[in-house]
Amino acid sequence: MIVYVEVEFIIQTAHSLKEKRAVLQRMITRTKQKFNVSIAEVDHQNVWQRTKLALVAVSSSKDAAEREINHALHYLQSNPSWEQLNVWRDYL
């Protein structure tokens, strides 16, 4: 089972692309280290207060993949530097 999620955030504290990328790289690196997911920025690369991340989890069962994605999303949402706007999920 493959679970694909796109999540969009607004980064209120970023006042430049450099500040945005510092927040983004820290969270992407930590998410990869803590959870069994792939994660990348897929949209808004040149906008300094928005980002869209894609996360993918692959597992033999839907429950295990969903659980890993949910843990990663919860971790991302816990960052006080940004606010979640949208989440979109797909199951393959």
Side-chain angles (χ1 to χ4, degrees):
M1 174 57 67
I2 300 170
V3 179
Y4 174 79
V5 173
E6 286 184 359
V7 60
E8 198 167 353
F9 293 99
I10 188 162
I11 307 168
Q12 300 286 352
T13 60
H15 300 294
S16 67
L17 282 174
K18 187 176 181 179
E19 289 178 8
K20 171 196 169 181
R21 289 186 179 127
V23 170
L24 195 56
Q25 280 308 112
R26 184 172 51 248
M27 290 305 292
I28 286 174
T29 301
R30 289 180 183 169
T31 302
K32 285 179 182 178
Q33 291 172 346
K34 291 178 177 264
F35 306 101
N36 190 18
V37 297
S38 293
I39 181 173
E41 184 179 26
V42 294
D43 201 3
H44 308 302
Q45 286 92 343
N46 293 319
V47 180
W48 50 271
Q49 284 196 318
R50 278 182 90 172
T51 188
K52 184 183 278 188
L53 300 175
L55 290 87
V56 178
V58 179
S59 180
S60 59
S61 71
K62 181 180 178 182
D63 291 337
E66 184 77 23
R67 186 172 40 253
E68 200 66 24
I69 285 288
N70 287 338
H71 289 307
L73 281 175
H74 180 70
Y75 176 73
L76 291 170
Q77 293 162 351
S78 72
N79 184 356
S81 299
W82 59 25
E83 179 183 335
Q84 180 180 306
L85 298 175
N86 298 315
V87 176
W88 180 81
R89 291 178 191 246
D90 196 13
Y91 301 91
L92 307 170

